Amino acid sequence: MSRQVLVAYATKMGATAEIAEAIGAELREHGHHADVRNVAGVESIADYDAVILGSSIYIRRWRPEAVRFLRKHADELGDRQVWLFHSGPVGPDKDQEQELPVNVRRLARRIDAPPVMTFAGRLEPQTAKGFLARRLARGELAVDSRDWTLIKNWAAGIAATLTSIEAGS
């Protein structure tokens, strides 16, 4: 029997959604049922054995809707396997771990989530939103820095953990 996994995401320019889709696809390849959904459309997590939550991170902040999701579902998330990721760094900082914002760090401790995974992001003129992003997207930071192998391997590790939990049940 496979696990029911929710891969929920909050995105500004679409790159985090694409990462979430890749994670969901990898989980499915390993035999799990994965629903990939924007956090804004998730009312309940009752049907899920595990939750993976991702947010874009800009200027050391998570998307507000991702923080609301954590707050709203904190009690239920504490009873499930949970993994967190964020994406956004590009340029010279693309491979540096990004700390969780303080408000998210408190919630992550409350639900006993493992350390957050940082994935590099994407900044392109056609998807850039906001003055600063549009300006940066015209320069050398305008690049897709996501490491799809890293993303796939991280998701495969989660799939293996879910499988071993299931085997131990």
Side-chain angles (χ1 to χ4, degrees):
M1 183 170 160
S2 64
R3 305 300 255 179
Q4 299 286 341
V5 184
L6 171 63
V7 183
Y9 64 87
T11 190
K12 183 174 182 176
M13 296 183 242
T16 305
E18 292 170 356
I19 291 170
E21 289 290 348
I23 291 167
E26 186 67 20
L27 293 170
R28 286 184 213 103
E29 278 189 36
H30 288 270
H32 298 290
H33 295 285
D35 291 337
V36 180
R37 300 180 53 201
N38 188 308
V39 293
V42 178
E43 291 298 319
S44 171
I45 63 169
D47 294 335
Y48 300 102
D49 303 307
V51 175
I52 299 170
L53 175 62
S55 175
S56 53
I57 185 167
Y58 296 103
I59 314 170
R60 298 188 180 121
R61 291 191 178 130
W62 267 35
R63 301 287 308 153
E65 59 271 30
V67 178
R68 280 192 298 274
F69 177 90
L70 274 175
R71 282 191 184 119
K72 177 180 177 179
H73 299 288
D75 290 337
E76 290 176 282
L77 290 168
D79 296 332
R80 288 166 174 72
Q81 288 289 130
V82 177
W83 289 269
L84 305 175
F85 75 90
H86 47 218
S87 70
V90 294
D93 298 334
K94 72 179 177 65
D95 295 322
Q96 291 182 357
E97 291 294 320
Q98 303 287 312
E99 287 187 24
L100 280 171
V102 174
N103 59 340
V104 179
R105 190 175 331 137
R106 274 191 235 113
L107 290 163
R109 276 194 223 117
R110 180 174 164 196
I111 64 174
D112 200 27
V116 67
M117 180 61 171
T118 302
F119 295 120
R122 178 191 74 202
L123 183 60
E124 296 175 329
Q126 61 270 29
T127 58
K129 294 179 184 172
F131 173 78
L132 182 58
R134 284 193 306 273
R135 185 171 174 105
L136 291 172
R138 287 186 268 156
E140 61 188 40
L141 294 179
V143 65
D144 188 344
S145 297
R146 294 172 294 177
D147 181 338
W148 295 106
T149 301
L150 178 64
I151 294 163
K152 182 177 179 172
N153 289 341
W154 185 72
I158 292 172
T161 299
L162 292 171
T163 299
S164 68
I165 291 169
E166 184 178 29
S169 301

XYZ file of all heavy atoms in Angstrom, residues 1 17 19 27 41 45 53 57 61 72 77 103 105 118 128 130 135 139 147 153 158 161 166 168:
179
model
N 0.847 -1.192 0.000
C 0.000 0.000 0.000
C 0.883 1.243 0.000
O 1.844 1.321 0.733
C -0.893 -0.018 1.233
C -1.840 1.115 1.289
S -3.033 0.840 2.602
C -3.583 2.495 2.820
N 6.314 26.132 -7.959
C 5.267 25.206 -8.411
C 5.870 24.105 -9.284
O 5.506 22.935 -9.159
C 4.190 25.961 -9.185
N 8.932 22.987 -9.161
C 9.689 22.104 -8.268
C 8.723 21.143 -7.575
O 8.987 19.940 -7.480
C 10.507 22.917 -7.250
C 11.647 23.653 -7.962
C 11.048 22.016 -6.134
C 12.379 24.665 -7.092
N 7.688 11.061 -6.398
C 6.965 10.241 -5.409
C 6.085 9.210 -6.105
O 6.023 8.045 -5.695
C 6.124 11.127 -4.494
C 6.896 12.055 -3.557
C 5.952 13.041 -2.894
C 7.655 11.252 -2.510
N -5.449 26.531 -2.301
C -6.579 25.662 -2.590
C -6.713 24.468 -1.667
O -7.554 23.606 -1.895
N -6.070 18.621 5.303
C -5.001 17.652 5.057
C -5.358 16.289 5.644
O -4.525 15.410 5.726
C -3.640 18.149 5.596
C -3.669 18.329 7.113
C -3.223 19.439 4.889
C -2.304 18.569 7.722
N 5.802 20.721 2.080
C 5.393 22.109 1.865
C 6.572 22.908 1.348
O 7.648 22.894 1.944
C 4.880 22.735 3.165
C 4.542 24.227 3.105
C 3.425 24.516 2.114
C 4.195 24.740 4.492
N 11.247 31.830 -1.466
C 11.813 32.655 -0.408
C 12.487 33.858 -1.066
O 13.328 33.706 -1.938
C 12.780 31.863 0.506
C 13.258 32.720 1.668
C 13.924 31.240 -0.282
C 13.963 31.941 2.776
N 12.063 35.863 3.312
C 10.661 35.710 3.713
C 9.985 34.638 2.877
O 10.199 34.553 1.668
C 9.907 37.028 3.518
C 10.338 38.083 4.459
C 9.394 39.265 4.397
N 9.812 40.255 5.340
C 9.975 41.528 5.057
N 9.728 41.978 3.855
N 10.357 42.367 5.983
N -2.443 27.328 10.128
C -3.782 26.734 10.108
C -3.747 25.239 10.397
O -4.614 24.705 11.089
C -4.431 26.979 8.738
C -5.798 26.353 8.568
C -6.362 26.633 7.191
C -7.698 25.936 7.005
N -8.275 26.210 5.688
N -0.375 18.774 11.260
C 0.956 18.503 10.708
C 1.852 17.836 11.748
O 2.703 17.017 11.407
C 1.600 19.790 10.197
C 0.978 20.379 8.935
C 1.488 21.792 8.691
C 1.239 19.485 7.735
N 9.528 33.279 11.934
C 8.152 32.824 12.149
C 7.949 31.396 11.641
O 7.257 30.592 12.271
C 7.140 33.785 11.519
C 7.329 33.962 10.026
O 8.397 33.691 9.458
N 6.285 34.434 9.359
N 10.427 29.152 11.305
C 11.275 28.288 12.138
C 10.520 27.843 13.395
O 10.572 26.680 13.785
C 12.563 29.021 12.512
C 13.596 28.122 13.152
C 14.929 28.815 13.410
N 15.195 29.872 12.471
C 15.691 31.068 12.803
N 15.996 31.351 14.047
N 15.905 31.988 11.880
N 16.890 23.807 0.791
C 16.939 24.981 -0.070
C 17.256 24.544 -1.493
O 18.234 23.833 -1.716
C 18.029 25.969 0.403
O 17.765 26.361 1.740
C 18.064 27.203 -0.499
N 9.164 37.516 -14.105
C 9.523 38.395 -12.980
C 8.357 39.305 -12.616
O 7.758 39.935 -13.482
C 10.764 39.210 -13.329
N 7.163 42.389 -9.830
C 7.654 43.381 -8.882
C 8.837 44.132 -9.467
O 9.572 43.623 -10.310
N 13.867 44.244 -12.517
C 15.169 44.882 -12.742
C 16.299 43.844 -12.722
O 17.168 43.849 -13.591
C 15.401 45.966 -11.703
C 16.658 46.737 -11.957
C 16.727 47.931 -11.026
N 18.010 48.572 -11.178
C 18.190 49.710 -11.824
N 17.169 50.323 -12.373
N 19.389 50.232 -11.914
N 19.520 41.446 -15.836
C 20.974 41.341 -15.690
C 21.455 39.904 -15.663
O 20.771 38.982 -16.108
N 18.449 22.855 -9.781
C 19.196 21.621 -9.984
C 18.191 20.468 -9.924
O 17.842 19.986 -8.846
C 20.269 21.475 -8.900
C 21.119 20.233 -9.047
O 20.687 19.256 -9.703
O 22.220 20.220 -8.463
N 16.541 13.701 -6.365
C 17.165 12.871 -5.332
C 16.574 13.139 -3.953
O 16.385 12.213 -3.161
C 18.681 13.076 -5.311
C 19.359 12.477 -6.524
O 18.802 11.630 -7.217
N 20.568 12.924 -6.791
N 12.730 11.059 0.290
C 11.454 11.111 1.012
C 10.624 9.871 0.690
O 10.043 9.249 1.579
C 10.689 12.403 0.664
C 11.435 13.605 1.233
C 9.245 12.339 1.181
C 10.886 14.948 0.800
N 11.897 6.993 2.632
C 11.499 7.102 4.038
C 10.044 6.692 4.217
O 9.713 5.935 5.138
C 11.709 8.543 4.549
O 13.099 8.874 4.448
C 11.238 8.702 5.979
N 6.089 2.715 6.057
C 4.975 1.828 5.698
C 5.328 0.372 6.006
O 4.527 -0.372 6.548
C 4.646 1.993 4.219
C 3.456 1.203 3.777
C 3.171 1.461 2.311
O 4.106 1.748 1.548
O 1.996 1.360 1.944
N 7.333 -0.712 8.226
C 7.409 -0.901 9.654
C 6.043 -0.882 10.349
O 5.924 -1.225 11.492
